């Protein structure tokens, strides 16, 4: 059961009271509405303060006229009995009422509303996560800081700019992570915007302080010294900069002496070391993966392309598809990746999304050693699981997968729905369990994951492709379609060419749902027949005859 709290006309789902907002566009849209309601509440508070000041102003104007008259002839004024009475009344009663009005706190309603809603706000972890997502997008899509700062991203509908404060914050997040490469890039961007005259609460001294140290950490001592001197021109008493200056000069003198003793020809050699690029991590195919995400993948030869076709597929003479066969398109040959067009309706998509939204949680992976579910930095999305028993639409979708693949879905995992937010991704991975993970699906008792079915439930403005780095394939999201591939060979051995990834979403919102089908239940004769049908023989039609777009 889902509980709601009603606060000044704002309906807030209690399930949102957990971190990780940046990983889901669906939940960030709720924050937009929350912020809009807070602005309305703030404007109500401002109006209440203005009304209060207007009352005080009117009272002051009235008393100003009265006292101006009275002070001209004080004795004559109070000699009038009515004036004497009203003076006593004003000082004894009305000034107390005015005091109460002045002391009245008009912010109580707004502060109370804000305090209650704050529990649903993003936290520091969310802010850092969103910053890291921007840095990840910067690397994956080869974006320079100026492009991001000016909001010049492909497919954007609502252009937005980064201020000096924003750039400085991104640099600080990178600095905290000891990522001096990105620290340098974003501090330099902040400095450029300050040099261009942007008004900011951040001064050049603060930027240069971070920048000089980040440059030093990357080995560029000459530039670090130059930046430190520039900082001291602005603030000669800067304690850390003065200390760094002495240290940098000492190191440079020491290296110069060492070079001179080695060779007089190298006495004026620069001390700049090879600069570090983006951090090198565990991912061996990082460069290939990011190229595929940018659409710069391996181009299939014309000879191989000629073997890719579009066709109508009736699910091996399945009665449901004889009169209305499904549209198929070959996306890749090895491994065989097939796309089904118009395979899930917009109405079905909305029902699936509505069912999933209240349950969305940060996606996890199964630790191959412990078997425990855990969040990891290379899988950034929110997911939910839907059972066919809870809604006829989910059941119908499951049966559609079974009818078109010939694979028994009774041993498959539940339908997993995922929403990728800012920079949402799932780096290269296998869906099947490798030989060194014999207990990966032991609890399920259904064997290994034999195949993957993936629905695309939204179009994506930029980014978000499904890529296969081992073979160079890129499959781009298209709402209403699904892709299907086998993870195992007929022998039961894993097909390592199916290693794949979900590229970061650059602009837009990505919704997908997938079904992992397992080995158990696929032993019947129709399995081998269907397998051969999917891989080998289909009546061939052209794109033009199918009119696929």
């Amino acid at each position: 059961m889902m509980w709601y709290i009603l606060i000044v006309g704002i309906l807030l789902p209690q399930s949102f009271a957990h971190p990780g907002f940046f990983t889901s566009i669906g939940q960030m849209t709720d924050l937009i509405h929350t912020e809009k309601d807070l602005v309305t509440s703030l404007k109500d508070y401002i109006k209440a303060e203005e009304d209060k000041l207007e009352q005080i102003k009117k009272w002051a104007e009235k008393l100003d006229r009265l006292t101006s008259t009275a002070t001209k002839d004080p004795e004559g004024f109070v000699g009038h009995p009515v004036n004497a009475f009203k003076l006593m009344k004003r000082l004894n009663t009305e000034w107390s009422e005015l005091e109460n009005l002045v002391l009245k706190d008009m912010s109580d309603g707004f502060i109370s509303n804000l305090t209650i809603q704050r529990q649903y706000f993003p936290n520091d972890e969310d802010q850092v996560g969103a910053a890291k997502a921007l840095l990840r997008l910067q690397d994956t899509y080869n974006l320079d800081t100026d492009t991001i700062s000016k909001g010049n991203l492909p497919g954007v509908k609502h252009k937005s700019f980064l201020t000096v404060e924003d750039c400085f914050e991104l640099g600080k997040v990178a600095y905290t992570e000891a990522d001096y490469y990105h620290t340098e890039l974003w501090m330099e961007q902040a400095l450029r915007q300050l040099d261009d005259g942007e008004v900011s609460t951040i001064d050049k001294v603060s930027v240069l302080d971070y920048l000089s140290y980040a440059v030093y950490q990357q080995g560029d001592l000459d530039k670090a010294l130059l930046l430190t001197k520039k900082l001291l021109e602005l603030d000669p008493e800067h304690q850390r900069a003065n200390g760094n200056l002495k240290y940098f000069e000492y190191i440079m003198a020491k290296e110069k002496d060492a070079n001179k003793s080695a060779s007089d020809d190298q006495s004026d050699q620069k001390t700049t070391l090879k600069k570090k690029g983006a951090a090198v991590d565990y991912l061996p195919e990082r460069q290939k993966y990011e190229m595929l995400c940018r659409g710069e993948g391996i181009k299939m030869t014309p000879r191989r392309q000629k073997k890719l076709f579009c066709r109508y597929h009736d699910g091996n003479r399945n009665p449901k598809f004889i009169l209305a066969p499904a549209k198929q398109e070959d996306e890749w040959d090895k491994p065989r990746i097939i796309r089904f067009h118009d395979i899930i309706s917009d109405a079905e998509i909305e029902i699936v999304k509505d069912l999933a939204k209240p349950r969305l949680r940060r996606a996890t992976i199964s630790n191959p050693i412990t078997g425990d579910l855990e969040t990891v930095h290379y899988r950034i999305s929110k997911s939910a699981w839907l059972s066919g028993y809870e809604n006829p639409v989910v059941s119908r979708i499951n049966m559609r997968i079974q009818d078109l693949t010939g694979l028994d879905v009774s041993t498959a995992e539940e339908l997993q729905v995922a929403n990728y937010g800012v920079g949402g991704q799932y780096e290269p991975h296998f869906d099947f369990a490798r030989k060194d993970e014999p207990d990966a699906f032991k609890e399920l008792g259904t064997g290994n994951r034999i195949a993957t079915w993936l629905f695309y439930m939204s179009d994506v403005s930029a980014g978000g492709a499904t890529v296969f780095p081992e073979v160079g394939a890129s499959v781009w999201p298209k709402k209403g379609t699904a892709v299907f591939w086998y993870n195992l060979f007929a022998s039961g051995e894993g097909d390592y060419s199916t290693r794949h990834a979900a590229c970061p979403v650059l602009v837009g919102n990505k919704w997908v749902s997938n079904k992992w089908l397992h080995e158990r239940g696929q032993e019947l004769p129709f399995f081998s027949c269907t397998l051969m049908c999917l891989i080998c023989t289909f009546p061939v039609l052209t794109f033009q005859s199918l009119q696929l777009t």
Side-chain angles (χ1 to χ4, degrees):
M1 177 178 255
M2 191 171 187
W3 297 92
Y4 291 85
I5 300 174
L6 185 62
I7 307 163
V8 196
I10 304 171
L11 198 61
L12 295 172
Q14 201 170 29
S15 63
F16 287 177
H18 54 80
F21 282 108
F22 76 97
T23 62
S24 170
I25 290 290
Q27 291 185 338
M28 283 194 288
T29 56
D30 289 287
L31 292 180
I32 291 292
H33 295 300
T34 297
E35 187 171 43
K36 173 62 177 175
D37 291 331
L38 279 174
V39 171
T40 301
S41 180
L42 178 61
K43 290 168 72 174
D44 289 342
Y45 159 66
I46 292 171
K47 186 177 186 307
E49 288 284 11
E50 288 174 342
D51 290 344
K52 169 182 160 181
L53 288 173
E54 186 64 26
Q55 292 181 57
I56 296 171
K57 182 180 177 181
K58 288 180 179 178
W59 210 84
E61 290 174 349
K62 181 183 74 173
L63 287 182
D64 183 48
R65 291 193 298 269
L66 185 64
T67 54
S68 294
T69 302
T71 53
K72 291 178 182 178
D73 182 11
E75 291 186 4
F77 186 84
V78 295
H80 194 299
V82 173
N83 287 339
F85 165 73
K86 294 187 71 172
L87 177 62
M88 297 302 105
K89 178 175 174 290
R90 278 198 306 275
L91 293 173
N92 182 54
T93 304
E94 295 181 13
W95 274 99
S96 295
E97 292 174 354
L98 178 63
E99 180 183 15
N100 291 334
L101 178 60
V102 172
L103 292 175
K104 185 177 180 181
D105 190 352
M106 311 303 291
S107 67
D108 284 349
F110 171 71
I111 294 300
S112 176
N113 189 14
L114 180 62
T115 301
I116 295 173
Q117 292 196 50
R118 195 183 299 279
Q119 63 185 307
Y120 303 100
F121 280 15
N123 56 23
D124 290 343
E125 179 186 343
D126 291 303
Q127 183 173 332
V128 170
K132 288 181 179 178
L134 266 180
L135 302 182
R136 185 163 55 249
L137 293 172
Q138 179 182 2
D139 290 343
T140 303
Y141 296 104
N142 273 348
L143 302 171
D144 59 68
T145 54
D146 194 58
T147 296
I148 298 174
S149 181
K150 292 180 179 177
N152 294 326
L153 302 177
V156 294
K157 293 180 180 178
H158 309 285
K159 196 170 182 179
S160 186
F161 301 87
L162 292 177
T163 64
V164 169
E165 288 87 353
D166 296 330
C167 297
F168 185 72
E169 178 63 26
L170 286 169
K172 280 175 58 180
V173 168
Y175 179 86
T176 302
E177 297 291 317
D179 178 3
Y180 301 114
Y181 169 72
H182 286 106
T183 303
E184 178 184 359
L185 293 179
W186 284 103
M187 290 302 172
E188 284 184 337
Q189 180 64 31
L191 196 60
R192 278 195 297 271
Q193 291 181 205
L194 285 171
D195 289 339
D196 290 341
E198 182 177 326
V199 178
S200 172
T201 57
I202 304 296
D203 56 33
K204 290 184 180 182
V205 170
S206 300
V207 176
L208 287 167
D209 193 17
Y210 279 96
L211 180 56
S212 59
Y213 186 75
V215 168
Y216 162 70
Q217 283 291 335
Q218 295 183 89
D220 195 342
L221 197 54
D222 288 330
K223 185 175 179 181
L225 181 64
L226 184 66
L227 291 168
T228 303
K229 289 180 177 179
K230 188 174 181 181
L231 189 160
L232 289 170
E233 289 176 4
L234 299 172
D235 183 3
E237 304 302 320
H238 197 284
Q239 186 175 356
R240 184 166 47 250
N242 277 298
N244 287 344
L245 180 65
K246 292 177 182 179
Y247 177 72
F248 293 158
E249 289 176 338
Y250 166 74
I251 294 295
M252 291 186 73
K254 190 175 180 180
E255 290 194 4
K256 188 174 182 179
D257 290 341
N259 290 334
K260 186 174 182 180
S261 62
S263 171
D264 290 338
D265 294 336
Q266 297 180 6
S267 62
D268 60 346
Q269 181 181 351
K270 279 198 168 191
T271 58
T272 303
L273 303 178
K274 183 179 179 181
K275 286 195 67 176
K276 299 177 184 177
V280 178
D281 59 11
Y282 71 97
L283 195 60
E285 68 264 65
R286 167 73 61 191
Q287 185 176 2
K288 187 187 295 184
Y289 156 63
E290 292 183 346
M291 286 180 64
L292 289 170
C293 289
R294 296 192 295 268
E296 302 169 2
I298 300 170
K299 302 302 179 184
M300 190 179 288
T301 63
R303 184 175 181 180
R304 289 174 64 188
Q305 285 180 336
K306 288 180 180 179
K307 296 180 181 179
L308 302 182
F309 300 104
C310 294
R311 65 186 68 83
Y312 286 114
H313 177 52
D314 62 9
N316 196 26
R317 305 288 299 170
N318 187 294
K320 298 177 184 177
F321 294 100
I322 291 177
L323 294 180
K327 301 172 185 176
Q328 277 189 347
E329 176 188 356
D330 292 332
E331 286 281 354
W332 205 257
D333 53 355
K334 295 180 181 179
R336 190 68 176 274
I337 305 170
I338 298 172
R339 187 192 293 264
F340 290 82
H341 289 265
D342 302 321
I343 204 63
I344 184 171
S345 69
D346 288 350
E348 289 173 326
I349 287 173
E350 291 308 311
I351 290 173
V352 169
K353 286 165 62 176
D354 288 342
L355 289 170
K357 282 179 181 178
R359 311 181 198 178
L360 288 174
R361 296 294 183 273
R362 177 72 183 268
T364 58
I365 62 124
S366 176
N367 187 304
I369 298 175
T370 66
D372 296 333
L373 295 177
E374 57 188 23
T375 60
V376 286
H377 71 277
Y378 55 83
R379 187 180 190 186
I380 299 176
S381 64
K382 275 201 166 75
S383 62
W385 299 84
L386 304 181
S387 169
Y389 298 106
E390 61 186 285
N391 191 282
V393 170
V394 178
S395 177
R396 185 165 68 241
I397 289 171
N398 289 340
M399 288 309 301
R400 188 175 305 153
I401 295 171
Q402 177 169 301
D403 292 336
L404 288 171
T405 63
L407 299 178
D408 188 351
V409 297
S410 65
T411 58
E413 295 173 50
E414 292 181 341
L415 188 70
Q416 181 181 221
V417 182
N419 181 218
Y420 292 83
V422 178
Q425 64 169 5
Y426 191 178
E427 289 184 352
H429 62 281
F430 298 102
D431 281 350
F432 64 91
R434 275 75 70 209
K435 290 182 178 179
D436 59 348
E437 303 171 317
D439 298 330
F441 305 115
K442 186 176 180 179
E443 291 185 4
L444 297 178
T446 54
N448 212 341
R449 288 172 175 167
I450 192 172
T452 296
W453 178 285
L454 176 65
F455 284 111
Y456 292 113
M457 302 198 301
S458 66
D459 293 312
V460 180
S461 300
T466 305
V467 299
F468 295 74
E470 294 294 318
V471 297
S474 296
V475 181
W476 298 92
K478 182 180 179 183
K479 187 178 182 181
T481 70
V483 290
F484 173 80
W485 67 85
Y486 281 96
N487 297 306
L488 307 179
F489 292 114
S491 64
E493 292 292 317
D495 183 353
Y496 283 78
S497 68
T498 61
R499 183 171 169 84
H500 61 285
C503 294
V505 176
L506 178 58
V507 178
N509 185 12
K510 182 181 177 183
W511 283 90
V512 298
S513 58
N514 65 277
K515 194 79 172 173
W516 282 310
L517 300 115
H518 284 249
E519 291 176 292
R520 300 294 178 266
Q522 320 305 343
E523 299 85 357
L524 296 177
F526 75 82
F527 164 65
S528 58
C529 174
T530 303
L531 178 63
M532 293 304 295
C533 287
L534 278 172
I535 293 180
C536 299
T537 58
F538 285 109
V540 175
L541 294 170
T542 64
F543 277 104
Q544 288 78 12
S545 62
L546 285 180
Q547 295 183 343
L548 299 178
T549 57

